[in-house]
């Protein structure tokens, strides 16, 4: 027997197209550091440094006093906080590496 065809096949294709466009939008939220100008990159580095400092502070504030009751919820909050710190660290390191790469390139070209 053959395949049954669905009457809403067009709707599935439209949903697939919408899903792929939403994936593209998610990836274009923050531009990659290599696409930024030097001034924008330095501003971004300062912003990310501050965000990293705040995330670390919030994590340590949360971890200093574990609750006597409802420890599972507290542990979930700690996990979320750790994830936020890790994300902030990776974004900061990526920006920092791009800055170092550009400064290293300038130093090599100016010394020649």
């Amino acid at each position: 027997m053959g395949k049954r065809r669905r009457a809403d096949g067009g709707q599935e294709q439209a949903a697939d197209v919408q899903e792929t466009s939403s994936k593209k939008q998610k990836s274009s939220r923050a531009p990659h550091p290599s696409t930024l100008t030097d001034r924008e990159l330095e501003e971004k580095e300062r912003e990310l440094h501050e965000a990293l400092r705040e995330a670390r502070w919030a994590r340590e504030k949360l971890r200093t006093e574990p609750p006597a009751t409802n420890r599972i919820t507290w542990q979930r909050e700690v996990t979320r906080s750790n994830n936020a710190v890790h994300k902030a660290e990776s974004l900061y390191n990526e920006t920092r590496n791009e800055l170092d790469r550009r400064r290293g390139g300038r130093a090599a070209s100016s010394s020649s």
Side-chain angles (χ1 to χ4, degrees), residues 3 17 32 36 48-50 68 77 87 90 92 106:
K3 290 184 180 179
V17 170
H32 194 268
L36 299 174
L48 290 173
H49 180 72
E50 183 62 25
E77 290 174 8
K87 183 177 179 181
S90 62
Y92 176 73
R106 283 189 198 148

Side-chain angles (χ1 to χ4, degrees), residues 28-83:
S28 64
R29 270 190 281 174
H32 194 268
S34 61
T35 61
L36 299 174
T37 63
D38 288 346
R39 184 174 296 242
E40 291 172 337
L41 192 61
E42 289 172 357
E43 281 181 28
K44 180 126 179 126
E45 189 260 341
R46 278 188 228 105
E47 291 170 7
L48 290 173
H49 180 72
E50 183 62 25
L52 177 60
R53 188 186 67 76
E54 289 175 5
R56 285 179 175 161
W57 179 82
R59 178 181 65 180
E60 291 308 313
K61 182 180 177 189
L62 186 62
R63 291 168 83 188
T64 53
E65 295 181 26
T69 60
N70 206 358
R71 197 166 174 87
I72 294 172
T73 304
W74 172 77
Q75 186 59 46
R76 286 182 184 146
E77 290 174 8
V78 169
T79 301
R80 281 189 212 105
S81 182
N82 285 337
N83 291 343

